[in-house]
Amino acid sequence: MKTATRPADIYMRFLQLADTLHTLPCLPCLDPLEERILVLVAKASKDCLRLSVRDVMAVERLGSPATIHTRLKSMREKGWIVLSDTEDTRRKQVDLSQAALLHFDRLSACLLEAANV
């Protein structure tokens, strides 16, 4: 007979599985602010919204525009995001890289595995 699993147990299992992703050879780690920016870009992408560098820098809860710009540059160098041209050549659109999309695919697999215990 299978014992009842609390929702917190499922979440803890997910965290354990997600931690194993950090041991895989993939993209360099992000700092907490970069992770928050990544989630912002991912949510916008899912909602089919276009975010420019200026749009991201305008999000006050992330910090000063200079700090955000530095983090965007770092995330681009690490391979998490790509900047693409828009119709206005002075503006760049922020998108997830293919490697970042693969990372989210792996996190989703961890979530499904944790829920199927």
Side-chain angles (χ1 to χ4, degrees), residues 63-79:
S64 72
T67 299
I68 297 169
H69 190 271
T70 300
R71 291 310 198 290
L72 287 172
K73 182 179 177 185
S74 170
M75 292 171 70
R76 184 177 180 204
E77 290 169 355
K78 291 177 181 179

Side-chain angles (χ1 to χ4, degrees), residues 30-48:
L30 298 173
D31 69 30
L33 177 56
E34 291 171 338
E35 286 183 16
R36 290 186 10 226
I37 293 170
L38 186 71
V39 168
L40 175 77
V41 174
K43 286 180 180 178
S45 176
K46 185 208 172 289
D47 294 338
C48 298

Side-chain angles (χ1 to χ4, degrees), residues 43-55:
K43 286 180 180 178
S45 176
K46 185 208 172 289
D47 294 338
C48 298
L49 299 174
R50 296 177 65 187
L51 280 180
S52 69
V53 171
R54 179 176 283 167
D55 295 333

Side-chain angles (χ1 to χ4, degrees), residues 3 5 7-8 11-12 16 33 37 40 45 63 65 71 82 86 88 94 96 98 108:
T3 61
T5 302
Y11 183 69
M12 293 301 162
Q16 286 176 326
L33 177 56
I37 293 170
L40 175 77
S45 176
R71 291 310 198 290
V82 293
T86 63
D88 182 351
V94 182
L96 297 175
Q98 288 300 317
S108 295

